[in-house]
Amino acid sequence: MNNYHIHSSAYNLSLFFVCFTFVLLSPLNCIAQKSVIIGDFSKGNLEGWKEKIFKNKTSYRIVNSSSGKILEAKSRASGSGLFRELQVDLRETPCLAWSWKVQNILRGLNETTKDGDDYSARIYVVFSNGPFFWNARAINYVWSSGQQIESSWPNAFTDRTINISVDSGPERVGHWVSHVRNIRKDYKRLFGKMTEVVDAVAIMTDTDNSRQSVTAYYGDIKFVSSCE
């Protein structure tokens, strides 16, 4: 499916602790990619994820595929998501890595409007920026129906969330697509300043505005120290 399913999180974690144990005994630093696992779906694990329903309920469940366990999302005129609250230090692990696949895209949408604010797949990265909820901002990486890849625009419901089209249209429908994004760089470009901490990550497949139907699949999600 993708490299993030091939290299298990257990291997990365054990390698990190080996490096940590011997770093004081060796003149050479042990070079290993740091990672923070957000979605460990390949192990059938949804621990720490909570559901938020906006309008009707999208079905999220772990299913088996030819390459292992994945998260399935089925939306039928529904708008709900899964979110996980945790703090991630972007100075250590600035890059978000994930994979997804959609079975179809939504048709006839103007995604810059409230009526068209539906996506086959999306991942929110949320930043609280202090103790007050009104300071919260988010980057929303989406599989767009028609917006140009790498284009960005304010969410139709709040300008504190900026959408980025990382996939678009039907060309890759039915295929796994992997992404690695430098969250600090994207935040700086979109909001004009740097940020150091992520406070939550959310997954959402929704069709509540367009009342269409879509199925998507999500692979493991993690923050990593290198975007290469």
Side-chain angles (χ1 to χ4, degrees):
M1 190 166 66
N2 61 67
N3 289 335
Y4 305 111
H5 293 282
I6 296 172
H7 298 289
S8 71
S9 58
Y11 173 81
N12 289 332
L13 188 60
S14 62
L15 182 57
F16 172 78
F17 279 113
V18 168
C19 295
F20 181 80
T21 301
F22 289 101
V23 69
L24 297 178
L25 303 178
S26 172
L28 298 175
N29 287 332
C30 194
I31 301 174
Q33 171 111 307
K34 295 181 180 179
S35 65
V36 178
I37 305 299
I38 306 298
D40 206 8
F41 309 136
S42 62
K43 291 188 176 180
N45 186 6
L46 281 174
E47 182 178 356
W49 290 87
K50 301 176 183 178
E51 186 174 33
K52 172 65 177 178
I53 300 174
F54 297 95
K55 183 179 180 181
N56 301 323
K57 185 175 179 179
T58 298
S59 170
Y60 296 97
R61 62 175 186 148
I62 299 291
V63 298
N64 291 315
S65 72
S66 59
S67 54
K69 295 182 184 297
I70 54 177
L71 179 67
E72 177 190 75
K74 285 190 174 184
S75 178
R76 305 291 183 266
S78 60
S80 69
L82 299 180
F83 69 95
R84 186 175 179 188
E85 297 174 290
L86 76 170
Q87 287 198 328
V88 178
D89 187 345
L90 292 176
R91 294 167 298 185
E92 294 289 325
T93 52
C95 305
L96 182 66
W98 80 93
S99 61
W100 57 18
K101 177 174 71 171
V102 302
Q103 293 299 89
N104 59 286
I105 62 167
L106 305 175
R107 301 290 182 178
L109 300 185
N110 180 352
E111 294 165 330
T112 65
T113 68
K114 291 182 178 181
D115 288 342
D117 188 53
D118 286 341
Y119 298 94
S120 299
R122 61 167 117 189
I123 293 182
Y124 285 93
V125 183
V126 183
F127 316 84
S128 69
N129 294 308
F132 305 110
F133 71 89
W134 54 82
N135 287 329
R137 298 180 184 272
I139 300 175
N140 182 21
Y141 298 102
V142 305
W143 191 309
S144 170
S145 293
Q147 297 291 329
Q148 184 177 352
I149 290 177
E150 290 299 330
S151 62
S152 59
W153 62 98
N155 182 273
F157 291 91
T158 171
D159 60 6
R160 289 188 170 274
T161 296
I162 304 296
N163 301 331
I164 299 180
S165 173
V166 294
D167 288 302
S168 184
E171 182 178 353
R172 295 183 175 181
V173 164
H175 299 280
W176 282 99
V177 184
S178 297
H179 292 285
V180 182
R181 301 291 304 200
N182 189 311
I183 303 302
R184 296 191 81 194
K185 287 185 177 180
D186 281 345
Y187 190 93
K188 171 69 173 178
R189 177 169 60 87
L190 295 172
F191 296 111
K193 57 183 179 180
M194 294 300 292
T195 190
E196 296 181 348
V197 178
V198 167
D199 294 284
V201 172
I203 294 169
M204 193 169 178
T205 292
D206 63 308
T207 58
D208 54 321
N209 298 303
S210 63
R211 303 193 63 80
Q212 298 183 43
S213 297
V214 68
T215 299
Y217 300 97
Y218 296 86
D220 289 350
I221 305 169
K222 61 183 177 180
F223 284 89
V224 293
S225 55
S226 174
C227 295
E228 296 181 357

